[in-house]
Amino acid sequence: MEKTLLLLKPDAIDKGVSGQIIDRFEKRGFKIAALKMVQLTRNQAELHYCEHTDKPFFEELVDFITSSPLIAMVIAGENAIKASRIMMGSTNPIDAAAGTIRGDFALNIRKNIIHGSDSLISAEREIKNFFTEKELYL
């Protein structure tokens, strides 16, 4: 069973759509292995976005993700990474299809509602940044 990290970003919390988003993953058949609301520290955010350190938008990413609480969750199921990324839709909500999370709930690339790990390696690193082994169920 594959696991992946999902973050319902501060804009999902502000809009009050986090429950609807979680519901979509449960209805799809994924199991929630861990879930918590957290306020990220700058260090956690920088580690989370470490692959973007040299990009011009890095500071903006870190500032946004640390601006207010978010919901971190680990889901588990068959092809969890690929399936969840399809459910999320394109990173830029303007390009995201209706029916996807970003297509339905987001308006711009800076505040695009949700993050999902893009590979097994990223999922493993990102899960460890948010959860201890004891916090994971399954």
Side-chain angles (χ1 to χ4, degrees):
M1 192 169 346
E2 192 172 88
K3 293 180 196 159
T4 190
L5 178 81
L6 300 175
L7 299 179
L8 306 185
K9 296 179 182 180
D11 50 329
I13 307 302
D14 291 343
K15 286 185 176 185
V17 297
S18 54
Q20 293 175 63
I21 295 169
I22 293 166
D23 186 55
R24 288 185 183 203
F25 288 100
E26 287 186 309
K27 284 183 176 171
R28 182 77 185 261
F30 291 107
K31 302 295 181 199
I32 296 176
L35 184 139
K36 64 183 172 182
M37 182 176 269
V38 297
Q39 175 73 48
L40 288 190
T41 66
R42 184 158 188 87
N43 286 342
Q44 275 181 304
E46 288 174 353
L47 178 60
H48 180 70
Y49 287 125
C50 65
E51 67 275 8
H52 300 301
T53 303
D54 296 331
K55 296 184 178 147
F57 54 85
F58 176 74
E59 287 299 323
E60 189 175 347
L61 284 174
V62 171
D63 289 345
F64 174 64
I65 204 83
T66 59
S67 66
S68 64
L70 58 77
I71 293 174
M73 61 190 272
V74 176
I75 61 166
E78 190 174 333
N79 297 307
I81 294 169
K82 184 175 181 178
S84 64
R85 292 187 63 80
I86 291 169
M87 290 173 67
M88 287 187 286
S90 297
T91 302
N92 187 339
I94 299 303
D95 300 326
T100 65
I101 292 165
R102 290 182 178 130
D104 290 351
F105 299 119
L107 293 174
N108 68 64
I109 198 165
R110 303 286 183 231
K111 295 182 178 181
N112 65 1
I113 297 287
I114 190 168
H115 163 83
S117 302
D118 63 4
S119 69
L120 287 170
I121 293 169
S122 293
E124 187 174 306
R125 176 182 56 82
E126 292 175 358
I127 289 168
K128 287 179 182 175
N129 190 30
F130 288 88
F131 296 96
T132 65
E133 279 295 317
K134 290 181 179 182
E135 293 176 302
L136 297 174
Y137 298 93
L138 290 179

